[in-house]
Amino acid sequence: MNISLRSFRIEDAPRVAELVGDLEVSRWTSNIPHPYSEQDAFDWITSTGQDDSKHSFAVELDGQLVACVSYWPHGSGGVEIGYWVGKAYWGKGVCSNALKLLLESGAIPSQSDIHARTMVENLRSQRVLEKCGFEALESGTVRKEEDELKARPT
């Protein structure tokens, strides 16, 4: 498996929209709406590229964009990580390997506490974190508003 991380590019917008536009991908994230358009992807790539506090990396499998791993500030001195993977690539080790690459890359400041959140029902995401050395500290509520799953006005 040839996995690599790189910065997102504007020309990735159609592929990002295709991957996260799938309701099964969106439903397991706390902040990706459904439906998700190319314009949404373009806006996201543009905004994260201009925000020095957000660090999102395109995950390529054999040269094709298939996922994303990210980190951003969490509390004082810590970071939170997040990720999504296109449905066709679930269960193939893509996310575990990509997250390990991010954690080993030196991109995350070494003195940072690293946090992650998953939905209780998202056992696959919890398994990714376990494979990368995380352990559950507390159980809380991560909820996605039902309205986010409905069409948004254009």
Side-chain angles (χ1 to χ4, degrees):
M1 179 178 302
N2 186 17
I3 299 248
S4 60
L5 304 180
R6 64 166 173 80
S7 297
F8 277 96
R9 303 182 290 253
I10 292 299
E11 57 268 22
D12 292 326
R15 180 68 174 159
V16 170
E18 174 187 347
L19 293 168
V20 299
D22 184 320
L23 179 59
E24 287 299 307
V25 174
S26 171
R27 76 183 288 248
W28 294 114
T29 69
S30 60
N31 61 0
I32 297 175
H34 188 270
Y36 193 88
S37 68
E38 275 188 42
Q39 185 63 50
D40 292 327
F42 177 85
D43 293 345
W44 175 76
I45 291 167
T46 301
S47 70
T48 57
Q50 296 172 349
D51 185 341
D52 291 338
S53 69
K54 295 180 181 172
H55 308 274
S56 297
F57 299 90
V59 178
E60 289 190 341
L61 173 62
D62 300 324
Q64 183 178 19
L65 174 60
V66 298
C68 170
V69 292
S70 303
Y71 73 93
W72 57 91
H74 176 90
S76 60
V79 298
E80 184 172 340
I81 57 163
Y83 41 84
W84 55 259
V85 180
K87 187 176 178 183
Y89 306 95
W90 289 2
K92 300 179 188 287
V94 170
C95 196
S96 298
N97 284 302
L99 186 53
K100 285 177 186 175
L101 269 178
L102 176 61
L103 294 170
E104 295 168 358
S105 71
I108 297 174
S110 61
Q111 299 301 316
S112 298
D113 289 331
I114 304 172
H115 303 266
R117 294 183 294 159
T118 67
M119 294 179 186
V120 173
E121 303 87 1
N122 194 345
L123 301 179
R124 289 176 188 235
S125 188
Q126 292 170 30
R127 185 69 187 123
V128 164
L129 293 169
E130 289 170 2
K131 286 180 182 178
C132 292
F134 286 76
E135 40 182 90
L137 296 178
E138 62 184 85
S139 181
T141 302
V142 177
R143 185 178 73 154
K144 185 169 190 158
E145 293 296 325
E146 190 63 31
D147 289 345
E148 289 183 19
L149 297 177
K150 297 177 184 166
R152 293 175 298 156
T154 56

